[in-house]
Amino acid sequence: MDNNIDKSSNSIKKTKGLVLTGLLFAIAIVLSIIENSLPSVVIGVSGVKLGLSNIAVMYALFFLTKKQAFIIAFLKSFFVFSTRGAIAGALSLTGGLMSLIIMIVLMLIFKKKISYLIISIFGAIFHNIGQLLAVSIIYTSIYIWAYLPVLLLAGVLAGIGTSTLLKFVLPAFKKLGLK
């Protein structure tokens, strides 16, 4: 009898995890669409965005599991690939993976001694570095690295912005039963 209860409980946990992942992916898509309708964060510098859809990935990483965060990042990249093409999809994937990896490393090294703000800033910076690496491979130009200082500054600002926005949406997630 206990074995059936354990199986049922495990099945419910898996279903809940799948539903939460799907919900966060849907939120990421909506945030991505909203952000794409807005101008660049830095006027005169194309392509610099806040990274609103990364809020869903950060939420999954901070409050759910690393696996769910990776799934959402991959799904986001597939969505970008499907809607904006192969290069945009590659940039999304490399940026998202670099971002997640550095955030996980920081969380493992510093445990509870590091703030979500610092993790978010490093995640945004490494997202930009990952995208820059992909662009430099695709276009094989060393001149693209002149863009690095702008992307580093943009990463700091984006990290602060996404961390702050995540802090504001946490009550809404709590009402949905996500926290």
Side-chain angles (χ1 to χ4, degrees):
M1 186 72 167
D2 287 337
N3 195 19
N4 287 337
I5 293 172
D6 289 341
K7 286 181 183 178
S8 177
S9 176
N10 194 25
S11 177
I12 291 171
K13 284 181 184 178
K14 285 182 180 181
T15 302
K16 184 178 178 183
L18 181 63
V19 169
L20 289 175
T21 303
L23 181 60
L24 286 170
F25 174 55
I27 290 168
I29 288 173
V30 169
L31 290 173
S32 178
I33 292 168
I34 290 170
E35 184 168 43
N36 283 329
S37 68
L38 302 173
S40 288
V41 172
V42 180
I43 297 171
V45 182
S46 65
V48 176
K49 298 283 188 174
L50 187 56
L52 294 177
S53 64
N54 294 323
I55 292 170
V57 176
M58 288 185 342
Y59 179 85
L61 180 62
F62 297 155
F63 301 107
L64 301 176
T65 67
K66 293 173 191 72
K67 180 181 177 183
Q68 286 169 300
F70 275 108
I71 289 169
I72 294 166
F74 277 110
L75 290 173
K76 275 182 33 178
S77 297
F78 182 73
F79 173 74
V80 170
F81 173 81
S82 300
T83 58
R84 289 184 252 154
I87 292 176
L91 296 179
S92 176
L93 183 63
T94 57
L97 291 178
M98 288 280 290
S99 175
L100 262 174
I101 289 168
I102 193 63
M103 289 191 293
I104 290 169
V105 167
L106 289 171
M107 290 170 71
L108 291 173
I109 291 172
F110 294 103
K111 310 266 186 240
K112 302 270 184 198
K113 297 176 186 169
I114 190 167
S115 70
Y116 293 140
L117 174 65
I118 299 300
I119 293 170
S120 178
I121 289 170
F122 274 91
I125 288 170
F126 276 81
H127 192 281
N128 289 346
I129 290 172
Q131 289 183 326
L132 194 60
L133 282 169
V135 167
S136 67
I137 291 169
I138 292 168
Y139 293 109
T140 63
S141 172
I142 196 160
Y143 298 112
I144 200 78
W145 287 95
Y147 202 43
L148 183 62
V150 172
L151 291 179
L152 292 177
L153 177 61
V156 171
L157 296 175
I160 292 169
T162 54
S163 174
T164 302
L165 288 171
L166 178 60
K167 188 176 184 178
F168 281 112
V169 299
L170 281 177
F173 283 156
K174 189 174 184 178
K175 284 182 182 179
L176 290 171
L178 295 176
K179 185 176 186 257

